[in-house]
Amino acid sequence: MNTALGLSLAILFILGVPIAVAIGLASIIGIEVQGRLPLLLVAQRMFTGIDSFPLMAIPLFILAGNLMSAGGISHRLVELAKSLVGGVQGGLACTCVLTCMLFASVSGSSVATTFAIGAILIPAMVKHHYPKPLAASIQASSAELGVLIPPSIPLILYGVSTDTSIGQLFVAGLGPGVVVAGALMILVLVICRARGIGKEDGRDRVSPGTAFLAALPALMVPVVILGGIYSGIFTPTEASAVAVAAALIVGTLIYRELKLSDLPDILKKTVISTSAIMIIISAAALFSFLIARSGLPNEIAVWFREIFETRIAFLLAVNILLLVVGMFIETSAAILVLAPILAPIAISYGVDPVHFGLIIVVNLALGMITPPLGVNLFAACAVANLRIDQIIPQLIWFVLTVFAALMVITYVPEITMWPVQWVFGG
């Protein structure tokens, strides 16, 4: 059955079949080839895969992000970031990184971050004489912070698929998020100095105090969400409902930019995004069940043990594997299929499952800015009205920088685990 599952999945991917359909069809082919399992198992396992309380957080966080994007929050976060870091040469590029980091703390999605922030900052950078491909590259790479800074949909998926604490994963994401953001800021400053770009980025800045007061209601949203989770007042799933309520209050009553007439379009976008993710989750749940039943995880664990004797070698091999996988497979599908297989092996090497979860998510986030299927690339190119081939030459340095940050996160576990130990003890 393993051969049938793997071969059929590879063929369907090559043929360009949508991810969810490919995973589901490969699973059905595997069941038919094995011959001893009823097809009723397909519906049963696909339903069971999404019948999970933590997964309720996904549509609610998506809805909260859409509400915040339409409610004027993104613009005020841009002004705040610009007031803090926009005064130096290359400050507008740093503003892009910092704003994506702030917006990620309320959206949980890199694509949503790309559209919400890119629509404001890509034209602003072009106006300040940044080459458009460079501006789009900065936005695409910065937006991947959307899956690192909590709340993060990929971290929720990893937690559900490996039975790891989502609260601890959210806390653990802060360190890697700061490392990646810091690396990107250093890179854009070096590029701007080397090319003589961004010398007038400080124009039209408001004072930090004025920008902070304007953005304070927006900043209180992640404070309430994350503070409630970390203090134990509510679970991450319940926090997603609080985020929706907070987004509605801020957008309609405080900023007054969110109108009731906007809600149908916002709800439509949320339903479409949620449906795409949930179909992938249900298909991946069936596929993962068949993989586990076949005994493949144990075989892979034995093979890893024979080939890679040390934890350092194992983590390097996993990073290379995930880097390739992330280039060709959508992040949610990759997590749901690979995490249940790789996490137990990582634990056998002494890697904490929370730390390993961040390694997986950071690595697959890198896949969001690498062709041929980098979703952030498509989003940034759509905003900037560019072709993919126009952005790739500028993107190489960003990919190398994020990969260097990934190596630091992989081999310095304290970056990930210290906040978890501080918040949860142990």
Side-chain angles (χ1 to χ4, degrees):
M1 183 168 66
N2 289 335
T3 303
L5 284 170
L7 185 60
S8 57
L9 187 63
I11 292 173
L12 291 168
F13 280 160
I14 292 171
L15 292 175
V17 177
I19 295 290
V21 177
I23 295 173
L25 283 177
S27 302
I28 293 172
I29 292 170
I31 291 173
E32 287 295 302
V33 170
Q34 203 265 351
R36 293 196 299 270
L37 296 174
L39 280 176
L40 181 63
L41 185 72
V42 174
Q44 180 190 46
R45 284 292 164 178
M46 290 183 73
F47 174 78
T48 303
I50 57 175
D51 185 23
S52 170
F53 179 70
L55 288 180
M56 290 177 60
I58 292 177
L60 291 173
F61 274 130
I62 292 174
L63 175 57
N66 289 334
L67 289 169
M68 292 170 187
S69 179
I73 287 178
S74 55
H75 172 72
R76 286 166 177 83
L77 292 179
V78 167
E79 290 301 315
L80 174 61
K82 188 176 179 181
S83 73
L84 295 174
V85 298
V88 299
Q89 182 178 350
L92 199 56
C94 287
T95 297
C96 183
V97 178
L98 182 57
T99 307
C100 287
M101 189 175 177
L102 293 173
F103 191 78
S105 66
V106 294
S107 72
S109 166
S110 64
V111 176
T113 302
T114 302
F115 281 111
I117 306 303
I120 300 172
L121 281 177
I122 289 178
M125 284 188 278
V126 172
K127 182 180 178 181
H128 283 245
H129 309 295
Y130 285 73
K132 188 183 287 187
L134 176 61
S137 297
I138 294 170
Q139 177 58 62
S141 54
S142 301
E144 70 179 79
L145 293 167
V147 300
L148 303 181
I149 302 295
S152 161
I153 292 172
L155 287 178
I156 293 173
L157 295 178
Y158 175 85
V160 171
S161 62
T162 61
D163 197 26
T164 304
S165 168
I166 295 174
Q168 290 189 12
L169 288 167
F170 278 5
V171 176
L174 295 172
V178 170
V179 168
V180 173
L184 289 174
M185 282 190 182
I186 292 172
L187 174 65
V188 296
L189 287 174
V190 171
I191 289 175
C192 289
R193 291 292 178 90
R195 301 185 185 180
I197 301 170
K199 293 181 179 180
E200 299 180 356
D201 283 358
R203 287 187 306 171
D204 304 323
R205 290 169 62 216
V206 299
S207 68
T210 301
F212 177 78
L213 288 176
L216 184 59
L219 294 173
M220 289 305 298
V221 176
V223 170
V224 171
I225 295 170
L226 300 179
I229 293 173
Y230 302 157
S231 63
I233 296 175
F234 39 70
T235 67
T237 305
E238 294 164 343
S240 63
V242 174
V244 171
L248 281 170
I249 293 171
V250 172
T252 57
L253 300 181
I254 299 178
Y255 292 151
R256 298 184 180 181
E257 294 187 20
L258 182 62
K259 310 298 182 184
L260 289 178
S261 58
D262 297 329
L263 292 181
D265 284 339
I266 292 173
L267 292 173
K268 180 181 177 181
K269 287 172 58 179
T270 301
V271 168
I272 293 173
S273 299
T274 301
S275 299
I277 293 175
M278 288 301 180
I279 291 173
I280 293 173
I281 293 173
S282 61
L286 171 63
F287 189 86
S288 298
F289 168 78
L290 296 175
I291 288 291
R293 194 177 188 279
S294 70
L296 182 61
N298 292 331
E299 295 175 12
I300 294 176
V302 172
W303 181 80
F304 266 105
R305 278 293 184 186
E306 292 176 352
I307 301 298
F308 307 108
E309 296 181 357
T310 66
R311 177 169 62 177
I312 293 176
F314 164 75
L315 289 175
L316 181 60
V318 166
N319 276 325
I320 294 172
L321 169 66
L322 292 174
L323 183 62
V324 175
V325 168
M327 293 174 66
F328 297 97
I329 301 179
E330 196 271 337
T331 300
S332 300
I335 291 173
L336 292 165
V337 171
L338 294 177
I341 298 174
L342 295 176
I345 303 173
I347 293 172
S348 71
Y349 278 92
V351 181
D352 190 282
V354 174
H355 179 215
F356 191 67
L358 268 297
I359 292 173
I360 287 181
V361 171
V362 173
N363 207 315
L364 294 176
L366 185 57
M368 295 177 177
I369 59 171
T370 53
L373 298 178
V375 292
N376 282 4
L377 287 186
F378 293 117
C381 286
V383 174
N385 194 24
L386 292 170
R387 300 188 311 272
I388 291 290
D389 61 286
Q390 293 176 294
I391 192 176
I392 288 176
Q394 302 284 350
L395 194 67
I396 294 173
W397 289 108
F398 293 91
V399 172
L400 293 175
T401 298
V402 176
F403 185 78
L406 170 63
M407 290 296 99
V408 173
I409 293 163
T410 298
Y411 293 112
V412 186
E414 290 79 10
I415 293 172
T416 303
M417 298 308 301
W418 181 83
V420 178
Q421 295 166 355
W422 185 74
V423 173
F424 293 95

